[in-house]
Amino acid sequence: MRFSRAQRYLHAVLFSTFLGLAATGLPLRFSESIWARGLARGVGGFGAILFFHKFCAVALTLAFLVHVKDLITRVVVHHEKGIFWGSTSMVANLKDVKDLFGHMRWFLGLGPKPEFGRYAYWEKFDYWAVFWGMIVIGFSGYAMWFAPFFAHFLPGWALNAVLVIHSEEGLLAILFIFSIHFVNTHLRPDSFPMDMVVFTGVESEDEFKKKRALEYAGLARQGKLESRLGEAPQTWLVNFSKVVGFTAIFIGLTLLVLTLSAYFS
Ligand code: HEM
């Protein structure tokens, strides 16, 4: 068992609202392109696209706030120190830096493949990219949405700047998720064509041992492997996850192609 039900639901809200935000933000940014105008015509104009964008933005903001509340509860109420350091933390440490260089050496055939713990360095990077992105994109988005309110304490030029910041950070997030995140998580040889663990919550023991050898060895040493045994997912869940996952990857890759074609034309 790798992910709890709550973590899987949170990821589901995250990826579906992100796809919605990308699919509605891109036509706003590249509004001159043929596909953006076609989409706008199909849904009732650019005003409707902006409405859907704001709808997804509110849902994503709520998911982010639930996550932050969960983190605060774990620190303040349960005094969980593992959030900040140790093998279950998302905070980067010296081993992550060594793993990054070790991995590069392995890619070039110059050294052995590093062994990873619960979260590999690129998984921590993905997490912080989203966390940081939420703050920057969220703040700039709400500043545009409620500009008269923000104008009480932000100078006029800052309200122009937030559009540029929102637009560029949004584009960066879209390009990163639909290329690097997809490849690192799903399309790399170890997981190809898709890593199902974030949908089903479980992976096979062989997969666990191969992908997170250090975490597996640590649990085996402490005699705690049993505590991580999970139910094999039911067939309907596997099939449903495959349909949802492949659809998400297909939409993401399509948006990536449309973005690149609009950007360079
Ligand atoms: C989470 C809270 C968010 C809020 C409140 C928000 C709000 C907005 C608003 C109000 C606009 C319209 C700006 C205008 O009037 O021209 C906009 C545009 C845009 N948004 Fe968001 N957004 C959010 C998240 C995102 C995310 C996560 C992405 C990327 C996936 C994104 C990508 C874009 C893009 C590319 C534009 C077009 C900017 C341009 O015209 O150059 N937004 N957003």
Side-chain angles (χ1 to χ4, degrees):
M1 171 74 76
R2 176 157 166 82
F3 292 124
S4 68
R5 192 181 288 259
Q7 286 170 324
R8 288 184 281 140
Y9 284 164
L10 200 67
H11 182 264
V13 176
L14 177 67
F15 82 72
S16 46
T17 52
F18 186 84
L19 283 175
L21 284 159
T24 50
L26 289 170
L28 292 176
R29 166 149 181 165
F30 299 110
S31 52
E32 293 298 308
S33 62
I34 297 169
W35 56 266
R37 279 185 274 159
L39 188 74
R41 255 197 311 275
V43 297
F46 282 101
I49 290 191
L50 188 55
F51 169 80
F52 290 122
H53 193 77
K54 289 175 176 173
F55 180 82
C56 293
V58 171
L60 179 59
T61 308
L62 289 177
F64 180 67
L65 294 178
V66 167
H67 178 61
V68 172
K69 185 204 137 265
D70 180 47
L71 289 179
I72 294 174
T73 311
R74 285 167 62 189
V75 174
V76 177
V77 181
H78 304 298
H79 304 290
E80 249 185 68
K81 296 206 173 57
I83 285 195
F84 297 111
W85 59 82
S87 57
T88 56
S89 172
M90 295 304 291
V91 179
N93 55 33
L94 192 61
K95 179 177 178 325
D96 293 313
V97 179
K98 287 185 188 157
D99 283 352
L100 169 67
F101 287 107
H103 220 184
M104 297 301 148
R105 275 197 298 277
W106 178 69
F107 287 146
L108 299 170
L110 301 174
K113 189 177 182 182
E115 294 198 323
F116 301 106
R118 179 160 178 80
Y119 300 114
Y121 68 88
W122 70 86
E123 289 163 344
K124 294 183 181 182
F125 186 89
D126 281 2
Y127 174 81
W128 288 110
V130 175
F131 203 101
W132 154 254
M134 267 313 295
I135 295 168
V136 176
I137 301 185
F139 177 79
S140 53
Y142 286 109
M144 286 190 286
W145 188 349
F146 302 104
F149 169 75
F150 280 83
H152 286 301
F153 41 90
L154 288 181
W157 64 262
L159 289 171
N160 289 332
V162 290
L163 171 61
V164 179
I165 292 170
H166 190 82
S167 193
E168 297 303 309
E169 176 77 15
L171 196 62
L172 180 69
I174 288 166
L175 294 176
F176 180 82
I177 299 284
F178 298 156
S179 57
I180 296 175
H181 176 71
F182 275 9
V183 171
N184 276 348
T185 315
H186 300 294
L187 305 177
R188 71 192 163 113
D190 270 354
S191 310
F192 189 84
M194 191 168 51
D195 193 335
M196 302 289 285
V197 70
V198 81
F199 299 106
T200 60
V202 292
E203 59 191 353
S204 73
E205 190 174 353
D206 279 348
E207 234 178 307
F208 182 16
K209 219 187 291 187
K210 193 166 139 201
K211 289 185 180 166
R212 286 167 262 281
L214 289 185
E215 186 188 14
Y216 184 89
L219 288 170
R221 230 185 358 262
Q222 298 162 20
K224 287 188 181 163
L225 269 178
E226 291 276 314
S227 70
R228 293 287 290 280
L229 267 181
E231 295 274 310
Q234 289 175 310
T235 315
W236 74 263
L237 178 61
V238 176
N239 290 340
F240 177 72
S241 308
K242 279 185 187 159
V243 171
V244 172
F246 280 118
T247 308
I249 291 187
F250 176 76
I251 295 175
L253 292 180
T254 307
L255 288 173
L256 181 66
V257 172
L258 292 178
T259 308
L260 292 176
S261 72
Y263 194 84
F264 289 112
S265 67

